[in-house]
Amino acid sequence: MEELEAKVKEALEAFRPQLQADGGDMEFISIDDEKRVHLKLLGACGSCPMATMTLKMGVEQYLKDACPEVSEVVNDTPMPDYEF
């Protein structure tokens, strides 16, 4: 699992500039037993309505190409409490 984590972190570092270009970033949290990568989106990405699409269509696709063992990317970013 340590080898996979190192590969995942390396791939995330390669993808990071694309998020940073839009004022965002991401933080690696963990890889669970089902090989799901848990990330926290930061900056502009943390509150962006398109964050889920960015995570699934961007980060997850890139990560699966670089690390085929990865089953999914999970967004562990806490959602703000909105009052209606």
Side-chain angles (χ1 to χ4, degrees), residues 23-25 41-48:
D25 207 344
L41 296 174
L42 306 169
C45 292
S47 58
C48 175

Side-chain angles (χ1 to χ4, degrees), residues 3-61:
E3 186 178 316
L4 177 58
E5 185 174 319
K7 271 177 66 175
V8 164
K9 286 181 176 179
E10 185 178 327
L12 292 175
E13 285 301 314
F15 192 86
R16 184 180 306 275
Q18 294 183 52
L19 296 179
Q20 291 173 335
D22 290 327
D25 207 344
M26 64 186 154
E27 176 185 342
F28 173 83
I29 304 295
S30 65
I31 299 175
D32 65 25
D33 292 338
E34 296 173 28
K35 296 193 170 114
R36 294 181 302 187
V37 175
H38 293 259
L39 300 177
K40 181 178 176 183
L41 296 174
L42 306 169
C45 292
S47 58
C48 175
M50 299 299 288
T52 300
M53 185 173 287
T54 298
L55 199 68
K56 292 293 183 182
M57 303 302 283
V59 179
E60 181 175 280
Q61 196 58 53

